[in-house]
Structures are given as C-alpha cells and as structure tokens.
Amino acid sequence: MPPNITGQKALAEYQEIIDEIERETLRLQKQIGGFPCPESCYDCCYNTATMRISEIEAQDLKIGLQKLPKEIQSHILEKASKSITKLNTVGFTEKNFPETSGTNIIEALKGTSEGECPMLVGGVCSVYKHRPIICRVWGYPITNNNQIGCCWKTFIGKRKEYKPIQYDQYWEKCRDLSEENESNPRGVPNCYLVKRLLS
Ligand code: SF4
Ligand code: SF4
C-alpha cells in the first residue's frame, strides 16, 4: 500500500532531514579528507537488534525492505524473529518493551548473534539507502543528550575539534513527524519493527 497524503508529506520532510545529514557528513569528510571508518568495518551493526526506530524512519525503511528479493526478506524476518525469541526468554515482550529501559533491552542481546541488526546481510546493510538516521551519523562527532558522542574507532582524540552533527535535533524532528502514528514515543526496537514491517 502506498503511504497516504499525510504520510507522503511527512516522508518528504523526512527526506529533507536525510539530505541535511548527507550535507553534514560530506562537510566532515571534506574536513578530514575521506571517510572516518576503517574499510569493511560494520561493528556498529552488531548490537543494534534493539535500537529504537521512530515511525517516520520505519516508513522509509519499509520502502527499502519491500525492494529486496523475497528470500532476503525471509532471511531478515528470520533474524528478527530469533532476536525476539531470545528477548522473550529473558522477560521482554512486545507488550512491555515501551516501559523498558533502552539500556536493559540492549544488554539482553549484547554480544550474541541475536543482537546483530536483522538487516545486516553478509556483512552489508541491505537497506543502505533507507537506513535509520543513527546509522547515517554514527562514526562522526554528534550531539547526543547534551554531550558529544562518536564511535570509539573514529575521530580519536579529535572529536572536539570539529563542529558536531546535530543528531539530537534530527531525532526530535523524526519524533515530531512520527507523532500522529506513534504509540511508542521512544521508537520501536529494531527487531520488533522489522517483524511488523515484513509480516
Ligand atoms: S540498518 Fe543497516 S547500517 Fe543500520 S544497523 Fe542495520 S545493517 Fe547496520
Ligand atoms: S561507526 Fe565505528 S563501528 Fe561503525 S563502521 Fe564506522 S568505525 Fe566501524
């Protein structure tokens, strides 16, 4: 089903956020003379099966998932289902996750194969053009809860030398764009969301 008019307007505004993030990452790439990440690194996709994703990001993600071949979709759905099964065994359920602490739910899968992002397929992001905003900015200095956040492998010792990407603001805008549809204001954990989008 195509998104309704309201959904399309929100998606157009979301695209503006993405474009701005793109300009910001290019700015930093120019300043440091290239990409900040080591080649073939995708460590940040390992413990993201429970990262929170807003409804507007989900709408874009859905477009990316629907473009994938059916067998890849099935593979992603299977990975998401395995993460959910493991979460269930330690007491997290689809009903109680809105009240759970983000840190606790991340810790529940940390370091396990079920903690890997379901959309990481063969070491590649299968929804790259439609990935959530945190995936677009991680690796660059960003504002997060009034602090400068950054992957520990990049901008080592130099984070404060560069103007950070205003991640907080972009996340807030995503939440505003999601408001009408969102019953979970902090976003939905990745694996639950992916299962919903592919089921
Ligand atoms: S959506 Fe893509 S970039 Fe983001 S965590 Fe998953 S695989 Fe990695
Ligand atoms: S952000 Fe960090 S963990 Fe992710 S790809 Fe870049 S260097 Fe690797």
Side-chain angles (χ1 to χ4, degrees):
M1 286 267 287
N4 59 29
I5 299 298
T6 312
Q8 281 178 347
K9 188 167 175 288
L11 267 178
E13 288 186 37
Y14 178 63
Q15 187 57 49
E16 285 173 21
I17 297 172
I18 297 302
D19 293 344
E20 200 173 316
I21 289 175
E22 181 76 14
R23 286 193 290 276
E24 280 294 273
T25 53
L26 280 173
R27 167 181 67 81
L28 284 160
Q29 283 168 26
K30 275 189 193 151
Q31 287 175 345
I32 61 170
F35 282 99
C37 304
E39 208 172 315
S40 305
C41 180
Y42 46 87
D43 289 0
C44 48
C45 305
Y46 279 137
N47 292 310
T48 47
T50 51
M51 71 176 166
R52 305 260 176 173
I53 300 176
S54 67
E55 193 60 39
I56 190 65
E57 292 170 291
Q59 284 183 32
D60 187 45
L61 203 49
K62 184 175 182 179
I63 296 169
L65 286 167
Q66 285 175 339
K67 286 182 187 165
L68 296 172
K70 287 286 171 215
E71 61 271 26
I72 303 289
Q73 290 184 17
S74 303
H75 174 72
I76 292 171
L77 181 57
E78 192 182 337
K79 281 182 76 177
S81 301
K82 282 185 180 165
S83 301
I84 291 170
T85 301
K86 182 135 187 169
L87 286 172
N88 288 344
T89 62
V90 291
F92 292 103
T93 66
E94 214 151 349
K95 281 196 177 141
N96 73 14
F97 80 71
E99 293 88 48
T100 57
S101 133
T103 309
N104 288 349
I105 199 165
I106 291 168
E107 287 298 324
L109 299 185
K110 200 170 179 182
T112 70
S113 58
E114 291 88 348
E116 189 177 296
C117 177
M119 294 167 287
L120 184 69
V121 179
V124 174
C125 175
S126 60
V127 289
Y128 191 75
K129 287 189 174 163
H130 301 272
R131 67 201 189 286
I133 62 167
I134 188 65
C135 305
R136 295 169 187 270
V137 300
W138 197 240
Y140 299 89
I142 62 169
T143 55
N144 196 13
N145 294 325
N146 299 321
Q147 294 183 338
I148 306 290
C150 191
C151 172
W152 66 275
K153 287 185 173 186
T154 56
F155 289 83
I156 301 163
K158 301 187 288 188
R159 285 174 195 173
K160 291 186 180 158
E161 292 173 23
Y162 297 91
K163 180 172 166 260
I165 295 175
Q166 301 297 308
Y167 171 72
D168 281 340
Q169 286 181 20
Y170 298 131
W171 176 245
E172 280 306 314
K173 282 186 189 172
C174 286
R175 288 184 37 185
D176 288 347
L177 288 172
S178 303
E179 236 168 36
E180 280 186 22
N181 300 321
E182 188 141 48
S183 51
N184 300 296
R186 288 190 297 150
V188 177
N190 188 354
C191 54
Y192 291 111
L193 178 76
V194 164
K195 188 171 180 195
R196 187 186 90 200
L197 296 178
L198 286 175
S199 295

